[in-house]
Each structure stands twice: as structure tokens, then as C-alpha cells.
Amino acid sequence: MASDLSSLLNSSRALNSHLSRPDLPSVNLSLDQIEAQSRRLVSRQPGASSDADRANYLLAQAHVDAPALANSIAHLNTSTTFSPLQPLQDTDVAGYLRHAHEQNLISTIEEGRRETQEHFYRLLEERSHKDWEAKKRRVFEELGGRATSDSKALAEMKKSFHGKAALAASTGPSLTLQMQSKMMAYDRAISELNGARLRGTSCPIIHLLMQAAASLNSEPSSQQMLQNFHVLAKITGEPPALPPVEHAGAHILNAPLFERKYARVYLGDSDSREAAALRTQIAKGSREALEDQFWDIIERTIQSRPMEARLGGDPSVANKIRAFLLMRYYKNGQWEDRIELVAGQPLWAKLYYLVRTGHAQEALDEALKSQQAIEHREDSFMSHFRSWVESPERRLPKPHRDHLQTVYNAHMLHSASADPFKLALYKLMGKLEPSRRTVPQVTMTTEDWLWFQLAMVDEEEEGGLRGLTEVLLSYGERHFDGAKKGVWPGVLLMCGQFERSVAALWEHPETEIEAVHLAIALAYHGLLRVPSRAETSDISPLTLSPLSPPALSLPMLIWRYVRQFVKLDAKEALQYVYCVCLSADQGDGVGRENVETAWELVRRIIVLAHSGPAWEELVGGFRPDGTRFSGVIEQGATLLHLQNTAQYNEQILIRAAHDSEENDRIPEAIKLYNLAGNYGTVISCLAQALGNTLAQPAGETEKGKIIERTAIEILRHYERTNRAVGKDRDAAVRLLRIREALNAKSSGRFDVVLEIMESTDLIPLDGDVAKITRKAEEFKDLHDALQRNLQVYLPLTMEALAAVHQSIKNSATAETTRQMTLTVLRKKSRSLMVFGGILKYRMSPDVYSYLARLDVEIAL
């Protein structure tokens, strides 16, 4: 046996003798030892083999030698990866240059790939951070972290609006004292806006918001927002408001309406001629706003340093520019390098700054004064400059531009000493090299750079404003908000990205209030696109899609804003909700969705607002004489696109009443149904509410007393006007009588309790068995509230009988009279017990046992 095993071992070794694998050690173990070692290994690593073992096994089946490949990779030398395949001779200059060129290409590709990857992960991190912050803020608010309402109100809101996540989600400015002051400064403008809309007149809403921002000088964001509103006013062409605010729109009563003026074009085909004209207007308005801003800086600079400015007695625009140039570029008795003097003055800089501040005609006048000196240096400049200034579009014919390009390339492009302001003027006139977006020493600030880009925009070339927008979006917020915070929303606004601008403001807590009001101003002028309900996110108000332009959910933005103070000032919250309907004319059903959303928000305000005189002022009510008065909502029904009273009742009052019922705000629901003229529902709701207050201990609380007072008032009015006659009204009257009996019991007047209960005719007490049986059979036809309260008023009646029985029994009246009265009481007690016995299945055993015990006491 041993020889057979030895020969077998030798034969097995001979099988792979032709393979040289020094890395594999030989195994000199017996079969028992191999089995023992195998079992020991298996015990150390229970279960299936490792992934590596399975991988090697599968690779081996495919004839892949994994250990050999691993060994090759481990000994791979990458130092010569990018070396030439063949050695280069020292004199092979062409080969060296070719190799260097290839290496540069490879390095560039690798660097671009690395930068793209880093940029991608950075953007991914920023987006994730923003999404996380938004979700965190939403969770904190839902948990009461930032909300001002108490937990009960929050629970009511969740119950009422469950499932409407897109609008119920909310983050908004916390109500600090500083925020409240800012809100109050802006809300007056919104009230003025809605007042003008109701009158059918125009409202200078942007200028009203500018006044509000100007009144908040202590706010860090006020100056930047003031500039943003100024930009929008220039874009829309809105004339300024006249102080005081109450009469701000008086001078434009007969002017064309501003409301939705640009909506048709802005929401229409972006490739149409009208859309291109609108983009041209946006660029022009933004440029003019930057010009006004820079002119204001120049004037303030001159006023702050009059000695250096040496303005003298000439307050002309050209002289102020001269003084500003003197302060900025004249140091130590000489002008800065590259400032070219023409006729003894820095003419190119002067002309540029006149154009930069919006005084192109003054620049032409100044150039004409030095025409001879200019033509001596640049012979064609004056004719081109005159044509450019006098052109409404600031655009020269192509031959003129080609000539300017030739001059620019020949004398300025590569000149180290060319005046930068002359270069800038040539670039502006000929719109030269639009892809080279900076001019050294000219576009020094963000505002200067933006103005230059907007001045170079041409809708017929380089994609126009949309092309510039793509460039700015590629730069991103980080590029512009480095030196000065809050610039990015203004940049987006100036390039017509209105929805993105509002969203950028909303992302920062200190500018959330401004974001809401900027959105309202944009919607009023028709420059805001709202997404459909299906496209609206429940986290961010901004909707971005590769197939459509950006859109901003105005309803979501407004609700997130007003819900912070809706319980404190419901009327003011309503003013903002009116603005949701500004987008009612948007196509594809979006406008109709906005109107319906506005109705829903109005109903939310009704439910969340505190009951009282202010609540009735909101929804309306009834005077003591029974006449009805309308509330603020009904007075502004046209702003909500409610066509008539029937639609107002159906969409607002009745549905708000239903929501109030679901939130257990029964008195408010009853009043709303009553205001809507739904008298049958009022009585039904009253009966249910009275039944609930009887069955629950809460009926003795303030809420139960409010329901009782409301029921008495309404039933008295209905009886006088003969409304809602029927089963429900009878049930409500009986339930009120039972409540009176309970109140009489509390005061110890059991004889009154017995009298009241007999008057309700709910319990037969005359001893007639046939009548008792008939009453028991008719019980199932009673109102549900009366059926549910059987075990309330049966014990109440029996307690009254027992108390009166005890009182008569202990009284000093004549024996005959006393015995007759006690007999009547025993008869009534037995009648009640027979009636209760028939309806025993409707009561708990404890109640029936209690009745039986009292009946025994009466029978003794």
C-alpha cells in the first residue's frame, strides 16, 4: 500500500514538472496531515470561502492566471509610461518638440479631468449642503424650533392640511424684533398694491419697496436690495412713486396698467422677436441702473473730498468727471501710467467715464470740443463715436465695425502703452472680442465688469443676453460673492434670471423677506414664471428643468412667509395671499392652479386665525339686528378671481367651515356655514356639537359654553325667520333644553330639571305602557345626537325624580297631598324604568344598574 502511494506521489509530481513555479512551495505532508490542516483552516473561517478565493476559482476556470497577473502588476514600472518608445537623439529637435507637444496635450487633458472632477464634487457637496440645510430648517419648524405658533396650532395645521406637502412644507424668517420691523416696513407697500388692483389702477410697487428698503438703513442688506429694486425699476420702466405713500400712485391713475405688462412675452416663445426685444430691454435697464449707481458714487466721492476734487463753480457733468479723474488717477503731480493726454487732459478716460455714467451725449459734446486733437491721433474715431452715440440700439453697421476691428488690431491690441480707456471705447463701439470680457484698469470692480458685459451684449451675436447668462452661471455665486456679500442675486437679476435671483435671496435668512417682495414685484409686472403643481418641489421654491426655463413657486414662497404671523395678523397675511393670483393668466393650466391654491391658502388663514372680532372682520358676520356684513376676504374677492357670491360661498366659506370642523373648531364652522347661507348644515352641525358637549365633560368648559351661546343665538334667529325647519332644528332645541336641565342640576334646582325634561317629550312618564312602547320604537328615528346621549338624560331625569321624591318625603305638607305626590313620582320612575328596560341595549350596564337603584329608593 505504501509503495503504491509513493508511486502515485511521484507520478503526480511528474505531471507539472515542466512548469517552473518557484513561488509555490512543495507540500510534504501525509493525507491525514493535509486533512487535519484543512479542517483547522475551515474552523478558523466558518462559512463560504472569501471573495478573493471565489474570484480566483472563477478566473482559473476561464484560464486566467490571477496570481501571475498580480505579480506582474506589483512589479510594474510606470516611470517610463510617457517616455518615447524609441530614444530621442540629442539633435532630434523635431522629435523632441513632437514629444513635448504630446506631453502637453496629455497633461492638459489630465489637468482638465482633475479640475472637472474636483468641480463636480465641490458642486455636489454644496448642493447636498443646501438641500440638507433646507430639510433641517423644515424639520426644525415642524418640531417648533422656529415656528411661533404653539403646539396645538401646529397640530391643527398638520391635521387640516395633511397630504399637501408642497405647500405645507415651510421655512421662513423667524419673528425676531428686527424681522418684525422689516416686515412692517414692507407690508404697507403690499397693502397699497392690492388697493390699486381693486381700484383698477397702476401701482408703482417697485418704488414703494425701494422706499421700504431705504427706511431700513441699519440693515446690512438694505443697500444691496435698494440697488436690486432700482435695477428692476429700470428694466420695467416703472415711474417713481410720489411721497407720501398714500398718494404714490395718484399721478399715474390714467396711465396704462403695469399689472402683467410683460407676461405674454416673458412666458411665451423665447425665440420670438418680442422676446429678443425684451432681453434687449432687460440689458439696457440693468446697464442704466449701474450707470446711475456709479454716478451716485462719483458725486458722493466729490462731496466727501472737495479740496482734492477742486470742482470750482462749474457743476456740469463733464467737470464732475474731470474732478473724479483727478482724484483717482492723478498722484504726486503726474497721471498714472498709460493714461494718454489729449489736448492736455485725460480725454479717453473722460469720455469713457461719461459713457459709463450714462452721459453719452455729454461725452459726444466733450469729444467735439477736442475733435481736431482726436482726429490727429485717431482719424476715424469721431465719425464712429457720433454714429454710435446717436444710434438708439448703440450698434454700428458692420462696415464701421470691421474698420474699428482693423484699427484696434493694428494699433491697440498688442500695444503695451495703449490707453486702456481708449481700448474700452473701441471695444464698446465695435463690440470687439466679446469673449475677452475684461479690460485692465477699466473693469476693476464687479459693477464695472457687469456694466461692460451688458454694454457689449447684442441679441444678434454671441447668443445675446442668454449667452452672457450662460457665462455668468458657469462662474457661479462663489465668483461674485467673494469681496462683497449679496452680489449674486443682483447679477442674476441684471441678466434676466429673475426666478434664480429670488431663490438666491431666499437661501440666506437675512434676505428672505426681500426675496418674497421681489417675487411679488416681478409677478406684478409679469416677469415671473411659476411651475405647475406637479413640478413644484416640497423643499425648494425654485424648479429647474433641462427642458424648460427656471420657474419659482410664488404660492409656496408666500405661504412660507405669512404663516409666521398668520395667527397674529391674519388680515396682513391675506394681503400677501392676494398676490398669489397675479399669475392667474399663465398658460397650460398653471394660472388656474395658482388661483385654486390662493383659495386654499385663504381657507388656511381662516382656520388658523384666532376667533374673535378680528376673525369676524376677516370673514364677515351678523349684526344684532340680524343683518349681514361682509368681511375683508369678501371685499377682496375680485383679487381672488371669485366671480360671484355663490362661488365665494362654495370655495371659501363652506370649504373653510369643513376644514374648521376637521380641526374641532365647531363654533367657527357653524358661523361660516351660517354666513354661506347653508342653514341646514348649520343646524346639523349645531346638533352634533351640542350632542358632543353633553356626552363629554368638556361640555362644561369655555368651548362648550361658546357652542351653547352660538346655538341659542342662531336658533333664536332661525325661529324668527322660519329657517331650517325640521328634524335637525328640533334636535338642537331639545339638546339645548337638556343643557339647561344640566345647568339647573348644577345649581340644585331638581324640580326645574324635572320640568324641563318633561317638556322635551323624550321620555314617557305617564305610565301608559302602550305609549312607552311606541316611544321606544320611535327612538331609532330620533337625531343621532339625541340617541347618543340617552345615558345622559335618562339618569338626569331619574336623579331629578329621586331628589324631588326625597324632598317631598321630608316636607311638612299634608299627608294626603304628600302621598299623592309621591305616588305620581313612583309612577314616573316606573315608566322611566320600563322605557329604559326596552332600550337597555343602548346603555352600559352600570347606567341601568344606577337607574334601578334610584328606582328602588323612590319605591320605598
Side-chain angles (χ1 to χ4, degrees):
M1 184 66 182
S3 61
D4 292 339
L5 288 176
S6 298
S7 61
L8 182 61
L9 175 61
N10 293 330
S11 299
S12 64
R13 287 176 176 173
L15 289 174
N16 60 354
S17 59
H18 63 284
L19 300 176
S20 176
R21 295 298 300 274
D23 56 320
L24 295 177
S26 58
V27 179
N28 296 313
L29 298 174
S30 66
L31 291 178
D32 293 337
Q33 290 175 322
I34 292 174
E35 181 182 5
Q37 291 287 353
S38 300
R39 293 184 181 279
R40 190 177 296 111
L41 287 174
V42 169
S43 63
R44 291 177 184 174
Q45 299 180 356
S49 60
S50 66
D51 292 341
D53 293 338
R54 289 196 297 269
N56 287 335
Y57 176 74
L58 293 173
L59 290 172
Q61 286 186 327
H63 306 288
V64 176
D65 192 347
L69 292 175
N71 184 58
S72 300
I73 293 171
H75 293 85
L76 178 65
N77 182 11
T78 60
S79 60
T80 60
T81 302
F82 298 106
S83 299
L85 296 178
Q86 295 181 352
L88 294 173
Q89 301 297 325
D90 294 341
T91 57
D92 188 1
V93 177
Y96 172 77
L97 293 176
R98 184 177 64 256
H99 175 66
H101 177 67
E102 292 172 353
Q103 291 296 102
N104 287 337
L105 288 176
I106 293 172
S107 301
T108 303
I109 293 171
E110 177 60 25
E111 183 70 16
R113 186 199 64 79
R114 185 180 60 80
E115 290 181 356
T116 302
Q117 183 178 6
E118 291 177 354
H119 181 66
F120 168 77
Y121 283 113
R122 184 171 64 249
L123 289 179
L124 181 62
E125 183 180 0
E126 291 176 356
R127 182 63 184 270
S128 301
H129 178 72
K130 288 181 180 179
D131 289 347
W132 163 241
E133 288 297 324
K135 290 181 180 179
K136 184 170 66 174
R137 291 163 62 190
R138 174 186 169 191
V139 169
F140 282 168
E141 183 176 345
E142 292 297 324
L143 294 175
R146 294 184 65 187
T148 57
S149 57
D150 55 22
S151 59
K152 182 179 178 182
L154 189 62
E156 289 178 355
M157 191 240 354
K158 289 179 181 177
K159 179 180 178 182
S160 177
F161 312 119
H162 179 68
K164 300 171 183 175
L167 284 171
S170 171
T171 56
S174 55
L175 281 178
T176 63
L177 183 60
Q178 185 180 14
M179 287 293 186
Q180 289 183 27
S181 301
K182 188 188 291 190
M183 288 178 176
M184 291 176 65
Y186 280 108
D187 61 25
R188 287 187 289 270
I190 303 304
S191 299
E192 181 73 14
L193 169 67
N194 289 323
R197 293 172 63 199
L198 283 173
R199 295 190 301 269
T201 60
S202 291
C203 176
I205 179 61
I206 302 173
H207 287 83
L208 294 177
L209 295 174
M210 288 174 66
Q211 291 180 11
S215 67
L216 300 167
N217 289 328
S218 59
E219 291 286 334
S221 59
S222 62
Q223 287 302 315
Q224 185 62 46
M225 279 310 304
L226 198 60
Q227 175 63 14
N228 290 343
F229 286 133
H230 183 58
V231 169
L232 186 57
K234 286 290 185 179
I235 290 173
T236 58
E238 181 187 284
L242 294 179
V245 173
E246 288 78 5
H247 306 288
H251 67 299
I252 52 172
L253 289 177
N254 298 320
L257 285 177
F258 297 153
E259 185 170 348
R260 309 299 289 173
K261 179 180 178 181
Y262 301 101
R264 183 185 63 82
V265 177
Y266 185 75
L267 300 175
D269 183 8
S270 60
D271 295 324
S272 66
R273 182 176 301 177
E274 292 85 356
L278 178 58
R279 289 192 292 271
T280 300
Q281 180 178 336
I282 292 171
K284 181 175 180 289
S286 301
R287 190 181 70 244
E288 290 177 352
L290 289 171
E291 291 167 356
D292 292 345
Q293 181 192 37
F294 191 52
W295 179 247
D296 182 61
I297 292 173
I298 288 177
E299 288 197 314
R300 285 191 284 109
T301 302
I302 293 173
Q303 291 173 7
S304 64
R305 294 151 63 188
M307 297 301 293
E308 293 182 45
R310 291 180 279 179
L311 190 61
D314 182 7
S316 65
V317 172
N319 194 39
K320 289 182 178 180
I321 294 296
R322 178 204 58 78
F324 181 75
L325 291 174
L326 194 66
M327 297 170 64
R328 173 166 285 192
Y329 298 108
Y330 190 76
K331 306 292 182 184
N332 301 322
Q334 60 181 0
W335 292 95
E336 288 186 3
D337 293 342
R338 298 182 64 183
I339 299 295
E340 182 181 350
L341 299 180
V342 180
Q345 61 174 330
L347 187 62
W348 304 118
K350 192 174 185 180
L351 295 179
Y352 175 80
Y353 275 108
L354 283 168
V355 173
R356 171 68 178 85
T357 55
H359 300 97
Q361 186 59 49
E362 287 84 350
L364 179 59
D365 295 340
E366 196 69 19
L368 289 172
K369 294 177 183 178
S370 307
Q371 181 172 359
Q372 186 175 357
I374 292 175
E375 290 179 346
H376 178 71
R377 296 169 183 261
E378 302 292 339
D379 57 354
S380 62
F381 177 83
M382 284 303 302
S383 62
H384 294 317
F385 190 59
R386 182 195 297 271
S387 300
W388 182 71
V389 170
E390 294 177 350
S391 170
E393 299 85 11
R394 294 279 174 87
R395 192 170 188 273
L396 293 176
K398 192 172 189 309
H400 291 216
R401 295 172 61 188
D402 292 342
H403 182 262
L404 285 171
Q405 183 75 64
T406 302
V407 174
Y408 178 80
N409 291 342
H411 302 293
M412 302 175 204
L413 180 58
H414 301 294
S415 174
S417 60
D419 189 307
F421 296 101
K422 182 165 67 172
L423 266 68
L425 287 170
Y426 269 84
K427 282 178 68 69
L428 289 175
M429 289 190 296
K431 300 190 184 299
L432 309 178
E433 297 183 306
S435 59
R436 297 183 66 175
R437 300 183 177 277
T438 60
V439 180
Q441 294 183 262
V442 176
T443 54
M444 300 293 289
T445 66
T446 300
E447 290 76 12
D448 288 334
W449 186 87
L450 281 171
W451 178 87
F452 201 84
Q453 310 313 309
L454 292 167
M456 294 280 287
V457 163
D458 190 333
E459 282 302 313
E460 297 183 8
E461 298 179 6
E462 300 290 333
L465 187 62
R466 288 185 290 186
L468 175 61
T469 300
E470 291 179 3
V471 173
L472 296 176
L473 291 176
S474 68
Y475 290 163
E477 180 177 2
R478 180 178 296 182
H479 181 82
F480 291 95
D481 278 359
K484 187 163 57 175
K485 202 70 177 173
V487 175
W488 180 237
V491 173
L492 294 170
L493 188 70
M494 283 185 276
C495 64
Q497 292 292 303
F498 303 124
E499 295 82 6
R500 292 179 190 266
S501 177
V502 174
L505 287 170
W506 182 257
E507 286 180 358
H508 302 284
E510 62 272 13
T511 54
E512 288 174 341
I513 295 176
E514 288 85 350
V516 174
H517 293 87
L518 178 62
I520 291 174
L522 288 165
Y524 178 69
H525 284 276
L527 294 172
L528 191 76
R529 185 177 288 102
V530 179
S532 65
R533 192 174 295 167
E535 296 173 328
T536 302
S537 167
D538 62 342
I539 297 176
S540 172
L542 183 66
T543 298
L544 298 176
S545 170
L547 303 177
S548 58
L552 186 90
S553 178
L554 183 63
M556 178 190 293
L557 207 67
I558 285 178
W559 178 247
R560 290 181 176 185
Y561 178 69
V562 303
R563 65 170 291 176
Q564 303 297 321
F565 58 87
V566 64
K567 297 190 72 174
L568 304 175
D569 195 348
K571 286 199 301 181
E572 201 58 53
L574 183 66
Q575 294 294 324
Y576 283 89
V577 172
Y578 285 151
C579 298
V580 172
C581 294
L582 284 169
S583 301
D585 58 352
Q586 189 168 329
D588 297 329
V590 177
R592 181 63 186 177
E593 287 182 352
N594 282 346
V595 171
E596 292 175 353
T597 300
W599 297 345
E600 179 186 341
L601 296 183
V602 170
R603 296 193 295 268
R604 293 187 185 189
I605 292 174
I606 292 173
V607 175
L608 292 176
H610 285 295
S611 182
W615 187 82
E616 290 191 352
E617 187 179 355
L618 193 70
V619 301
F622 288 92
R623 300 182 181 90
D625 60 359
T627 58
R628 186 181 184 278
F629 63 88
S630 61
V632 177
I633 298 175
E634 189 173 1
Q635 293 167 11
T638 55
L639 299 180
L640 294 168
H641 291 257
L642 295 166
Q643 305 301 326
N644 48 51
T645 303
Q647 191 179 23
Y648 168 72
N649 290 341
E650 178 185 356
Q651 296 296 337
I652 303 299
L653 294 181
I654 293 177
R655 295 185 65 178
H658 180 69
D659 291 341
S660 297
E661 275 191 277
E662 289 186 347
N663 283 274
D664 198 26
R665 301 190 62 174
I666 305 302
E668 289 82 359
I670 292 170
K671 291 178 181 178
L672 290 169
Y673 282 128
N674 193 31
L675 286 168
N678 202 338
Y679 306 121
T681 307
V682 171
I683 291 299
S684 176
C685 190
L686 266 179
Q688 292 292 342
L690 288 169
N692 292 338
T693 58
L694 290 180
Q696 300 173 0
E700 300 177 0
T701 63
E702 184 62 28
K703 181 178 178 181
K705 294 176 182 177
I706 292 173
I707 293 175
E708 182 182 343
R709 288 195 297 268
T710 303
I712 293 171
E713 180 182 341
I714 289 177
L715 286 172
R716 185 182 298 120
H717 179 65
Y718 282 11
E719 287 173 2
R720 188 168 61 249
T721 57
N722 197 30
R723 288 175 178 167
V725 178
K727 178 179 176 180
D728 288 339
R729 198 176 89 173
D730 292 341
V733 172
R734 285 176 165 179
L735 288 165
L736 270 180
R737 296 290 289 166
I738 296 172
R739 168 53 61 191
E740 290 181 34
L742 288 170
N743 293 337
K745 173 192 171 183
S746 300
S747 59
R749 296 177 296 150
F750 287 98
D751 53 338
V752 176
V753 173
L754 188 58
E755 179 183 346
I756 293 173
M757 291 308 302
E758 287 187 275
S759 69
T760 62
D761 196 28
L762 288 171
I763 306 170
L765 300 175
D766 56 2
D768 187 341
V769 177
K771 186 176 180 180
I772 293 173
T773 305
R774 187 170 61 254
K775 274 285 186 183
E777 291 175 352
E778 293 173 354
F779 181 81
K780 64 180 182 298
D781 298 325
L782 290 176
H783 192 279
D784 177 68
L786 290 171
Q787 293 187 45
R788 284 188 287 109
N789 284 284
L790 175 66
Q791 55 187 15
V792 172
Y793 57 79
L794 267 186
L796 175 64
T797 307
M798 184 63 85
E799 287 171 355
L801 286 170
V804 173
H805 177 272
Q806 188 66 28
S807 176
I808 296 296
K809 188 176 181 180
N810 297 331
S811 66
T813 57
E815 182 64 23
T816 305
T817 304
R818 187 170 67 247
Q819 288 301 327
M820 290 177 61
T821 305
L822 291 175
T823 302
V824 171
L825 292 174
R826 292 189 187 100
K827 181 180 179 181
K828 291 181 178 181
S829 174
R830 290 309 306 161
S831 299
L832 188 149
M833 285 303 298
V834 173
F835 180 74
I838 298 174
L839 299 176
K840 186 177 180 181
Y841 67 96
R842 302 299 299 265
M843 297 180 291
S844 67
D846 294 341
V847 173
Y848 190 76
S849 298
Y850 179 63
L851 293 175
R853 187 167 66 252
L854 291 178
D855 179 60
V856 171
E857 292 178 3
I858 294 172
L860 294 176

